Amino acid sequence: MLTQGDRDIGLGRAASVADAFAYCERMAMRHYENFPVASIFLPRSLRPSVCAIYAFARTADDYADEGSSPPEVRLEKLSEWGRMLDDSYRGRADHPVFIALAETAAKTGIPKQLLADLLTAFPDGCDQDAVSGFRGIGGLLPVFPPNPVGRLVLHLFQDIAEENLLLSDKICTGLQLANFWQDCLGRSEEGASLRPA
């Protein structure tokens, strides 16, 4: 399932694992919302894998949040992305993101379930009203499960002691809540600026 965006980045179909990682790196460097994904503070050997995970999540987020497609079309794209993840863990990857992810999983042992868990956040992005009625923190976190990101990074570093996983969950939850509150504050300020004086 190669999109126009895939072709814009310059790859029709990955000819090799190296091409697939290069595709993911280009996506990480060119996205308009991006921050330094594979910074110089990361070991050089891990940067391609970080870019592969970023490209997987970035594409899913784009399917959910962007464009003028109706929610059912975006949900179908996310479902297909999930099926492609399953295929990649069965040795049948044909999209550059999944070729890079399959290579990353082979080297690091990242469980497919962490990537699948990451995908569970995105369907709610297809419906902008999905979070309008949440009740407290317990109602919000299932809508935006942030913790797989930290656990994926710990797998890359081969440092998955239980204590580290739990600390990572707390950090990721805090960061996600801060991000959510920042979005809410931005929306409330935007609304206030539109009210008549």
Side-chain angles (χ1 to χ4, degrees), residues 56 85 110-119 147-149 151-152 155:
F56 169 77
L85 175 64
I110 287 176
K112 182 184 76 171
Q113 190 59 49
L114 284 179
L115 295 162
D117 288 347
L118 193 56
L119 278 181
N147 298 340
V149 174
R151 289 175 174 248
L152 285 163
H155 271 83

Side-chain angles (χ1 to χ4, degrees), residues 167-195:
L167 289 171
S168 171
D169 288 351
K170 290 179 181 181
I171 291 168
C172 289
T173 296
L175 290 171
Q176 183 59 57
L177 288 172
N179 183 57
F180 179 75
W181 290 323
Q182 181 181 10
D183 286 348
C184 289
L185 180 61
R187 287 182 188 144
S188 67
E189 288 176 348
E190 180 182 316
S193 70
L194 295 176
R195 291 190 198 111

Side-chain angles (χ1 to χ4, degrees), residues 55-168:
F56 169 77
R58 175 77 269 157
T59 302
D61 191 42
D62 287 349
Y63 287 155
D65 290 342
E66 297 180 4
S68 57
S69 299
E72 59 272 16
V73 171
R74 289 185 268 165
L75 286 169
E76 178 51 39
K77 286 184 177 182
L78 285 170
S79 294
E80 178 63 17
W81 204 237
R83 286 190 290 271
M84 292 168 78
L85 175 64
D86 290 340
D87 286 346
S88 71
Y89 271 76
R90 295 181 186 120
R92 298 197 304 262
D94 66 356
H95 187 287
V97 169
F98 292 104
I99 291 170
L101 270 182
E103 183 71 11
T104 295
K107 287 181 178 177
T108 64
I110 287 176
K112 182 184 76 171
Q113 190 59 49
L114 284 179
L115 295 162
D117 288 347
L118 193 56
L119 278 181
T120 63
F122 297 115
D124 288 305
C126 295
D127 180 1
Q128 295 304 312
D129 297 325
V131 296
S132 61
F134 81 90
R135 299 288 182 266
I137 299 304
L140 175 62
L141 291 179
V143 176
F144 297 108
N147 298 340
V149 174
R151 289 175 174 248
L152 285 163
V153 171
L154 286 173
H155 271 83
L156 291 181
F157 278 91
Q158 301 291 298
D159 198 2
I160 54 171
E162 187 63 25
E163 181 183 13
N164 292 342
L165 293 171
L166 293 174
L167 289 171
S168 171

Side-chain angles (χ1 to χ4, degrees), residues 32-52:
Y32 69 89
E33 281 187 347
N34 201 19
F35 49 90
V37 170
S39 83
I40 61 170
F41 298 108
L42 277 174
R44 186 180 299 275
S45 62
L46 294 183
R47 291 177 205 166
S49 295
V50 169
C51 288

